[in-house]
Amino acid sequence: EPEVTQTPSHQVTQMGQEVILRCVPISNHLYFYWYRQILGQKVEFLVSFYNNEISEKSEIFDDQFSVERPDGSNFTLKIRSTKLEDSAMYFCASSNTGGRSPLHFGNGTRLTVT
Amino acid sequence: DQQVKQNSPSLSVQEGRISILNCDYTNSMFDYFLWYKKYPAEGPTFLISISSIKDKNEDGRFTVFLNKSAKHLSLHIVPSQPGDSAVYFCAANPGSGNTGKLIFGQGTTLQVKP
């Protein structure tokens, strides 16, 4: 079964540094998402992306965050200047028809900001 | 933000018995609900969904019931198996069009004892 793949599985960075989290969504999917889960908290929506533009973003997704689909297969989340509170598990997801189809999640990237 | 609530952090059942996981929501505009299962070090895996036009959806051992007047849904697993031991998340689409944004509950950890 096709799956969403994320790299790296664990990223450690120092506060203030830029990080790029990478995802390869399922190949025929058209909608792409980033979610995060801070340890002990809920899974939270960050951003949705369709047709090469952001379709919705949460309050968490401020100017420090950006997303990009640089080619036909990758989908990236960039955090420009990481803060300690950005430490979380970041999940990429994709779906083929958006809001009324299930999201398929990757196994996540654990980001640790020191 | 308590729009989707899973009030039981954990549940333990015997193999072969029924597992019932509960979820409450606060916003009557929510119109599509999903259950996800999550194993440690993996991303959430889609289990089953239900649209607000239905009150029941069944897929094998999994049945989701929706009570719109009570703003309550439940997931029944019959019979429960040890491999079902995982964290179960209830999620709701807040009716925000086709963006695929989901609001998650806190999760319930299910342990199925052999």
Side-chain angles (χ1 to χ4, degrees):
Chain A
E1 184 177 326
E3 56 182 28
V4 175
T5 56
Q6 290 186 243
T7 54
S9 56
H10 192 187
Q11 174 91 45
V12 181
T13 190
Q14 288 193 324
M15 196 167 51
Q17 295 296 304
E18 174 183 287
V19 293
I20 297 176
L21 309 183
R22 303 180 190 279
C23 169
V24 178
I26 294 173
S27 61
N28 64 341
H29 284 184
L30 301 176
Y31 297 80
F32 314 112
Y33 313 88
W34 285 100
Y35 284 76
R36 79 173 186 188
Q37 185 179 28
I38 295 171
L39 188 63
Q41 298 187 23
K42 292 184 179 186
V43 176
E44 302 173 286
F45 169 79
L46 291 179
V47 66
S48 59
F49 190 87
Y50 169 72
N51 200 26
N52 277 322
E53 60 182 24
I54 290 173
S55 44
E56 188 170 358
K57 60 184 180 179
S58 71
E59 293 173 356
I60 303 166
F61 195 89
D62 61 21
D63 292 345
Q64 292 300 311
F65 291 86
S66 63
V67 289
E68 192 178 31
R69 187 153 163 82
D71 53 43
S73 59
N74 291 284
F75 180 52
T76 61
L77 174 69
K78 182 193 289 186
I79 309 175
R80 288 191 185 83
S81 178
T82 50
K83 308 185 194 78
L84 293 176
E85 54 265 36
D86 294 327
S87 294
M89 195 75 166
Y90 287 80
F91 294 105
C92 174
S94 68
S95 70
N96 57 3
T97 59
R100 293 298 179 267
S101 64
L103 274 59
H104 296 262
F105 286 83
N107 285 336
T109 294
R110 178 167 299 285
L111 177 65
T112 302
V113 183
T114 61
Chain B
D1 178 4
Q2 292 290 310
Q3 295 189 76
V4 178
K5 292 182 284 189
Q6 295 175 255
N7 291 317
S8 298
S10 63
L11 174 68
S12 181
V13 300
Q14 208 66 38
E15 180 179 6
R17 305 296 289 267
I18 184 171
S19 296
I20 300 176
L21 298 107
N22 293 302
C23 178
D24 297 295
Y25 60 97
T26 56
N27 192 330
S28 57
M29 295 298 291
F30 292 174
D31 60 0
Y32 181 60
F33 303 90
L34 308 90
W35 284 94
Y36 282 85
K37 176 172 73 174
K38 186 180 179 305
Y39 294 119
E42 294 185 13
T45 301
F46 169 72
L47 272 177
I48 193 168
S49 62
I50 189 166
S51 165
S52 60
I53 61 173
K54 294 186 172 184
D55 54 18
K56 176 183 173 181
N57 190 25
E58 190 171 351
D59 183 1
R61 297 186 297 115
F62 302 93
T63 303
V64 55
F65 295 91
L66 176 62
N67 182 334
K68 289 185 287 295
S69 60
K71 297 193 189 70
H72 177 84
L73 62 156
S74 60
L75 175 69
H76 293 210
I77 307 174
V78 182
S80 302
Q81 299 172 353
D84 295 329
S85 297
V87 180
Y88 287 78
F89 292 98
C90 167
N93 183 306
S96 56
N98 215 27
T99 65
K101 173 183 176 180
L102 297 178
I103 298 174
F104 281 83
Q106 307 95 311
T108 297
T109 300
L110 172 66
Q111 183 185 26
V112 180
K113 297 179 179 177

